[in-house]
């Protein structure tokens, strides 16, 4: 009768190695997927930070332009200047 235990041991070893390979492959795949997700999250954070910075700069520029618009009186060449109006008002 042929001894089957070496063949059974070899088959058991092959199944064990196959299972270990499958588990390692699944773990590597999950790790790669997590790394890809983290890279996307980081890219999203960078874009959000850039968007916030641009929005902040836009708000500052808008505020500066508004302050300049209200700080300087409107000067039209056909109209009297602010000093001329004050002198005319002082004459009354």
């Amino acid at each position: 009768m042929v001894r089957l235990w070496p063949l059974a041991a070899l088959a058991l070893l092959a199944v064990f190695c196959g299972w270990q390979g499958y588990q390692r492959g699944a773990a590597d795949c999950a790790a790669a997927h997590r790394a890809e997700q983290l890279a996307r999250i980081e890219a999203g954070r960078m874009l959000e930070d850039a968007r916030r910075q641009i929005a902040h700069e836009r708000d500052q520029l808008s505020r500066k332009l508004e302050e300049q618009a209200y700080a300087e009186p409107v000067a039209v060449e056909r109209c009297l200047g602010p000093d001329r109006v004050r002198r005319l008002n002082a004459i009354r």
Side-chain angles (χ1 to χ4, degrees):
M1 184 185 253
V2 179
R3 295 184 183 221
L4 296 177
W5 70 270
L7 188 57
L10 188 60
L12 185 61
L13 182 63
V15 168
F16 178 73
C17 289
W19 179 254
Q20 289 290 352
Y22 178 79
Q23 290 295 324
R24 185 167 184 171
D28 289 347
C29 182
H33 185 63
R34 278 193 301 271
E36 184 180 338
Q37 284 180 335
L38 289 175
R40 286 181 183 176
I41 289 170
E42 186 61 30
R45 282 188 189 146
M46 290 171 53
L47 287 173
E48 182 66 19
D49 290 343
R51 185 196 63 79
R52 285 182 183 165
Q53 182 179 1
I54 290 170
H56 180 70
E57 291 173 0
R58 183 192 64 218
D59 291 344
Q60 283 183 335
L61 180 61
S62 174
R63 192 173 301 120
K64 279 183 184 177
L65 291 174
E66 187 175 351
E67 287 173 359
Q68 286 179 357
Y70 287 119
E72 299 173 4
V74 177
V76 179
E77 298 203 12
R78 293 183 183 177
C79 298
L80 300 173
D83 293 333
R84 178 76 174 160
V85 171
R86 286 188 200 108
R87 280 184 275 169
L88 289 174
N89 285 338
I91 293 175
R92 285 197 217 172

